[in-house]
Amino acid sequence: MQENKNFFSGEEDMELHLWNYIDGIAEAKERTAIEKLIAENAQWHIKYSELLEVHQILNSTELEQPSLRFTKNVMEEISKLHIAPAAKDYINKKIIWGIAAFFITIILGMLVYLVGQISWSTGSADVIKIDFGKLNYSKVYSSTFVNIFMMLNIVLALMLLDKYLSNKRKKLTGA
Amino acid sequence: MHTERSDIDIISQVLQGDKQAYALLVSRYQNFVFTIVLRFIKSREDAEEIAQDVFVKAYRSLADFKGTAKFSTWLYTITTTSCITFLRKKKLDMQSLDNEQVFDSADIIDSGMSANQVEQKSKVNMVSNAIKMLSPDDAQIITLFYKAEQSLEEIAQILGIEPNAVKVRLHRARTRLKDKMQTHFKAEVNDIY
């Protein structure tokens, strides 16, 4: 008993535990302790009766009712509409993968270029020095590698655009 | 014999093109949705319009209903979002219980009650009136739990919060409801306690 009193201290705490018990969400140990307190402690018993009555009244309250035309109004409204396609249908996975491939290609291209700029003969075994100030950007746009890289991206972009336009055309024609 | 068709059956029928089957879902849930909307929006006209809009939105998005949760939970999520959007658009005051205005408006509701209402000693009516005096958040959580038959987990999903937070909010809402009842319906409360 004393143990239970220590376990549940304060009126708010008591109410919270009683609500858990009434709502049926108290765990087995808590439920047993509350049952014991309700049976043995007058204060707990009175509070339990109060809350139980509120709970029962809350359950018996009635729902509000809309006008009698409610269902008819909704049905009239939806008669003009169509169910929208599910989000997963109109988000084409190929487009997502295409976009991902585009960015991965850019990142890989940049990494390959940066690694190519590293001076491996710095004399130190621990530190790899990259002198960003000495990066020659004008060289980037003239080298064969970058030209190929840019062409690849353009082809990917055109493929995505084509995919997007053909999807749009399909939707418009209802195919 | 229990012949009521499940929500999932009706939904698959609607998705196959039988629009009229949707009327079954509307009549099944219209009172629940309307009651929840009324907890946010006090005007019955506006509430009815929003509740209708909820069913139209649900119909339009029916293909997105995956069936992982109950249809009612999904529908009440749309209801809550629609109410919040409406209130934001209208810039209506989301009354807070900590705000003195609530007590003013509660007094207005109280004093504005017809003799008929005052005479009604029904406990059920007293609780319904007390719920109307609560903040939309408190009234909604009580309605979802007691009337819309949603579990704490489902309410958490509808409100986008943790189930433990729902438990605490529900407890506070009930405490405030009890306070409202004791403040504004003393005589009736004395009948209870």
Side-chain angles (χ1 to χ4, degrees):
Chain A
M1 183 71 180
Q2 189 59 42
E3 188 192 323
N4 285 342
K5 267 184 186 168
N6 293 336
F7 187 50
F8 306 129
S9 56
E11 188 166 345
E12 201 190 336
D13 201 32
M14 184 208 299
E15 283 194 14
L16 187 61
H17 287 290
L18 281 170
W19 278 125
N20 284 350
Y21 177 71
I22 292 167
D23 294 339
I25 53 172
E27 286 176 12
K29 194 184 165 192
E30 189 187 1
R31 206 166 48 236
T32 315
I34 293 168
E35 274 166 4
K36 203 175 172 205
L37 280 164
I38 292 169
E40 294 171 4
N41 186 316
Q43 198 191 346
W44 276 76
H45 183 77
I46 292 165
K47 185 56 82 179
Y48 170 68
S49 305
E50 278 178 18
L51 299 185
L52 187 64
E53 182 132 24
V54 172
H55 177 78
Q56 283 162 351
I57 295 168
L58 277 168
N59 271 323
S60 61
T61 53
E62 284 169 11
L63 289 167
E64 303 281 349
Q65 287 184 347
S67 67
L68 293 171
R69 270 191 59 86
F70 188 89
T71 305
K72 209 174 172 189
N73 287 344
V74 174
M75 295 311 286
E76 277 173 11
E77 194 64 39
I78 67 162
S79 67
K80 306 167 213 160
L81 302 168
H82 294 287
I83 297 173
K88 63 177 179 190
D89 293 342
Y90 60 78
I91 299 171
N92 193 328
K93 275 189 179 170
K94 282 180 185 168
I95 293 179
I96 305 290
W97 281 113
I99 293 167
F102 180 79
F103 284 108
I104 288 167
T105 314
I106 288 177
I107 292 164
L108 284 176
M110 288 301 290
L111 280 174
V112 169
Y113 175 71
L114 283 172
V115 169
Q117 296 294 308
I118 295 170
S119 170
W120 297 100
S121 56
T122 52
S124 166
D126 300 328
V127 183
I128 297 171
K129 277 187 183 173
I130 303 172
D131 192 350
F132 289 98
K134 285 182 182 173
L135 286 179
N136 188 356
Y137 293 105
S138 62
K139 217 175 136 189
V140 172
Y141 296 103
S142 59
S143 72
T144 317
F145 164 73
V146 173
N147 284 340
I148 294 166
F149 173 69
M150 292 303 281
M151 282 300 289
L152 194 68
N153 280 324
I154 289 166
V155 170
L156 270 171
L158 286 171
M159 277 168 65
L160 281 173
L161 186 68
D162 176 61
K163 195 85 187 164
Y164 171 74
L165 290 174
S166 64
N167 277 348
K168 213 174 173 183
R169 197 168 49 242
K170 268 183 199 170
K171 267 185 197 169
L172 284 173
T173 54
Chain B
M1 193 173 71
H2 186 74
T3 54
E4 204 171 71
R5 288 164 58 202
S6 76
D7 292 347
I8 301 291
D9 286 347
I10 299 170
I11 289 164
S12 60
Q13 200 177 334
V14 176
L15 289 173
Q16 280 163 22
D18 182 2
K19 264 188 189 184
Q20 287 310 309
Y22 192 67
L24 287 171
L25 287 176
V26 178
S27 54
R28 190 173 286 178
Y29 290 106
Q30 61 179 16
N31 292 355
F32 294 101
V33 169
F34 184 61
T35 305
I36 294 168
V37 176
L38 264 181
R39 299 291 178 238
F40 281 94
I41 291 118
K42 304 297 174 197
S43 147
R44 287 186 80 87
E45 288 77 23
D46 283 342
E48 185 147 338
E49 206 174 296
I50 292 160
Q52 282 174 15
D53 194 40
V54 166
F55 282 104
V56 172
K57 277 182 195 164
Y59 174 78
R60 287 273 296 151
S61 315
L62 209 57
D64 280 328
F65 174 66
K66 295 174 189 79
T68 47
K70 282 199 293 195
F71 172 72
S72 56
T73 305
W74 183 71
L75 188 67
Y76 302 149
T77 309
I78 298 174
T79 310
T80 304
T81 314
S82 299
C83 290
I84 292 167
T85 308
F86 176 84
L87 287 172
R88 274 191 194 140
K89 272 185 191 163
K90 284 260 182 180
K91 290 184 181 170
L92 289 179
D93 288 337
M94 294 278 283
Q95 294 173 333
S96 156
L97 263 175
D98 300 328
N99 190 332
E100 278 300 311
Q101 281 182 328
V102 174
F103 292 95
D104 293 345
S105 64
D107 290 339
I108 291 163
I109 296 166
D110 202 13
S111 58
M113 276 177 194
S114 64
N116 180 34
Q117 278 174 307
V118 176
E119 281 162 19
Q120 283 175 358
K121 295 275 178 182
S122 152
K123 292 170 187 175
V124 171
N125 277 341
M126 182 260 292
V127 174
S128 296
N129 287 327
I131 291 172
K132 284 175 192 166
M133 292 175 183
L134 291 175
S135 71
D137 286 344
D138 285 348
Q140 184 203 23
I141 208 160
I142 283 176
T143 306
L144 285 170
F145 189 73
Y146 282 100
K147 303 316 303 170
E149 293 162 347
Q150 300 293 298
S151 67
L152 294 180
E153 285 75 19
E154 286 162 346
I155 297 172
Q157 203 178 322
I158 293 166
L159 304 179
I161 54 176
E162 289 296 313
N164 266 338
V166 173
K167 204 162 99 175
V168 173
R169 274 201 201 178
L170 182 65
H171 170 62
R172 286 180 186 161
R174 284 188 288 212
T175 305
R176 284 174 192 138
L177 179 72
K178 209 152 63 73
D179 291 346
K180 282 269 164 247
M181 283 166 22
Q182 278 162 348
T183 311
H184 298 279
F185 305 94
K186 234 174 196 167
E188 291 90 334
V189 170
N190 287 340
D191 288 347
I192 297 178
Y193 305 139

